[in-house]
């Protein structure tokens, strides 16, 4: 029978790898909740950005149907959802007023860049697969 000494160190302490800290300040990153809004916006249609017109409202009253309201209660998250939906569908062709609304909601230009870069990578991967 063989004997293995498990009490000795298998790796010297100097070889341990410490996790690297993200050099981006926390205020320049999106939170987990914000990234989940971006992910959910992938399935939203562009029509979810428009308010229902008078004909749509009238038809809803006549037929008793309700339009699904995808708008978020938090204005900051709604600005993020709107920009995410546009970016998923149009890439970098985003109207300037939407970017301004996004920045006015409290997001930074660095967060805008991270959002568009992440969606761009995901869109490129989606186009290759399907």
């Amino acid at each position: 029978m063989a004997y293995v000494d498990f009490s000795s160190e298998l790796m010297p302490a100097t070889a341990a790898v410490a996790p690297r800290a993200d050099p981006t300040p926390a205020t320049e990153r999106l939170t987990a909740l914000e990234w989940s809004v971006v992910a959910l916006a992938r399935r939203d249609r562009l029509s979810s950005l428009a308010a229902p017109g008078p004909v749509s409202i009238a038809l809803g009253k006549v037929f008793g149907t309700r339009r699904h309201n995808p708008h978020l209660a938090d204005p900051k998250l709604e600005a993020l959802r709107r920009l995410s939906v546009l970016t998923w569908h149009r890439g970098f062709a985003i109207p300037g007023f939407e970017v301004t609304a996004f920045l006015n909601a409290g997001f930074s230009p660095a967060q805008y860049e991270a959002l568009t870069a992440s969606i761009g990578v995901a869109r490129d991967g989606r186009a290759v697969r399907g």
Side-chain angles (χ1 to χ4, degrees):
M1 202 186 259
Y3 172 76
V4 179
D5 183 13
F6 288 108
S7 64
S8 67
E9 268 189 60
L10 298 177
M11 257 164 94
T14 57
V17 179
R20 294 178 57 189
D22 189 353
T24 309
T27 57
E28 299 295 318
R29 288 180 272 157
L30 294 174
T31 65
L33 173 64
E34 292 165 345
W35 280 119
S36 66
V37 169
V38 172
L40 291 172
R42 185 177 197 167
R43 295 179 184 235
D44 287 352
R45 295 180 178 185
L46 283 173
S47 62
S48 72
L49 302 178
V55 173
S56 177
I57 292 171
L59 288 174
K61 289 181 180 180
V62 169
F63 293 108
T65 59
R66 298 195 85 211
R67 183 173 182 259
H68 174 64
N69 186 4
H71 301 288
L72 300 175
D74 184 357
K76 184 175 180 180
L77 293 179
E78 177 58 20
L80 175 63
R81 185 192 75 84
R82 290 183 63 84
L83 195 74
S84 299
V85 169
L86 287 167
T87 306
W88 279 116
H89 287 279
R90 296 186 178 162
F92 291 105
I94 307 295
F97 68 90
E98 290 288 354
V99 176
T100 301
F102 177 78
L103 296 174
N104 288 341
F107 291 101
S108 69
Q111 289 171 318
Y112 172 70
E113 290 175 13
L115 169 73
T116 55
S118 176
I119 291 176
V121 168
R123 287 181 76 218
D124 290 345
R126 181 173 63 181
V128 170
R129 280 187 240 128

